[in-house]
Amino acid sequence: MKVKDSVVFITGANRGLGLAFAKAAVAAGARKVYAAARDPKSITLAGVHPIALDVTRPEQVEAAARECGDVTLLINNAGISRGVNLLDTADAFELARAEFETNFFGPWAVSRAFAPALKSNGGGAIVNVLSILSWLSLPGAATYSASKSAAWSLSNGLRNALREQGTQVLSLHVAFMDTDMTSKVPGPKASPDDVVAQTLAALEAGQFEVLADALTRQVKQGLSTDTPPYAAS
């Protein structure tokens, strides 16, 4: 699909990658851009329509879908990480459940709510923001990794479920980006603007997956080897 003249809805659009998506959609000539966040007052980008949305609250998801029935491109970007290890004891389950509510059930609920509108508007597309951690589990992010692995499976399932109505589903996998979430992580980081540019180009080319940096491509390629990266010590 083409971004120009599309109607775009972006979750978690107040900062980081979501904000980069909003800026790019406006620059690409989208007819309308809905920028969703828990606090719509945090949306300050000119030329977008702020929407109040906590993806973990079903009533807000349904209200957004009713209000924004002209959407043709949905970008499920909202995500959280709580830094939980699998053997942590204090609040581990509670924190992991919060990650799954936002990272898995959130995009599922939003995609399901907007699917009828996408169908009515010609099919359109969904972009799900995933991670290199869909395939890896790192110390300090084990439950986040599990939620993103589940979201990868969700994306593949949505692609099958929405194929008949002509909705394209694109999964974005990326390692570390220069955003607030990774501000304390050392090492090189991808530019959100570059990741967005790759994603929108892949969307317009009809692709189903974006591997946005060299490390992500290396890990994906290694999944079919005798010593896949998720099994490395």
Side-chain angles (χ1 to χ4, degrees):
M1 70 167 294
K2 298 297 183 183
V3 179
K4 182 177 173 58
D5 296 324
S6 66
V7 178
V8 186
F9 189 100
I10 307 163
T11 68
N14 57 326
R15 61 181 183 174
L17 185 65
L19 178 58
F21 268 118
K23 290 178 178 178
V26 171
R31 179 160 55 89
K32 187 186 296 185
V33 178
Y34 295 109
R38 287 189 176 94
D39 178 8
K41 293 180 181 178
S42 64
I43 302 292
T44 59
L45 178 65
V48 303
H49 299 261
I51 298 290
L53 178 61
D54 180 341
V55 300
T56 70
R57 296 182 60 179
E59 73 280 6
Q60 290 193 8
V61 172
E62 294 299 329
R66 288 193 301 269
E67 181 179 350
C68 309
D70 52 350
V71 167
T72 61
L73 172 57
L74 169 63
I75 301 177
N76 285 314
N77 167 73
I80 62 171
S81 176
R82 293 293 181 255
V84 185
N85 286 306
L86 294 179
L87 300 182
D88 288 345
T89 55
D91 300 326
F93 286 171
E94 179 181 351
L95 294 172
R97 286 190 179 99
E99 289 174 327
F100 269 82
E101 287 292 338
T102 299
N103 301 344
F104 174 74
F105 289 106
W108 183 7
V110 175
S111 296
R112 186 173 63 175
F114 276 91
L118 293 172
K119 180 179 180 180
S120 297
N121 297 325
I126 297 174
V127 173
N128 286 332
V129 177
L130 304 179
S131 172
I132 192 175
L133 298 184
S134 301
W135 307 308
L136 296 175
S137 183
L138 297 183
T143 56
Y144 174 83
S145 301
S147 72
K148 286 298 185 178
S149 183
W152 179 42
S153 184
L154 171 68
S155 296
N156 296 334
L158 287 171
R159 187 176 299 110
N160 292 333
L162 297 173
R163 182 175 288 113
E164 186 175 350
Q165 72 172 46
T167 300
Q168 178 186 355
V169 177
L170 175 68
S171 298
L172 164 61
H173 296 270
V174 60
F176 299 117
M177 285 185 295
D178 189 13
T179 64
D180 290 347
M181 184 180 289
T182 63
S183 61
K184 296 181 180 179
V185 178
K189 300 171 187 176
S191 160
D193 293 335
D194 178 64
V195 172
V196 167
Q198 291 185 61
T199 303
L200 296 184
L203 183 73
E204 295 200 349
Q207 297 176 10
F208 70 93
E209 186 174 71
V210 177
L211 308 178
D213 53 69
L215 183 58
T216 299
R217 291 188 288 272
Q218 179 182 347
V219 167
K220 179 66 183 298
Q221 185 177 19
L223 295 178
S224 60
T225 65
D226 291 337
T227 55
Y230 57 78
S233 59

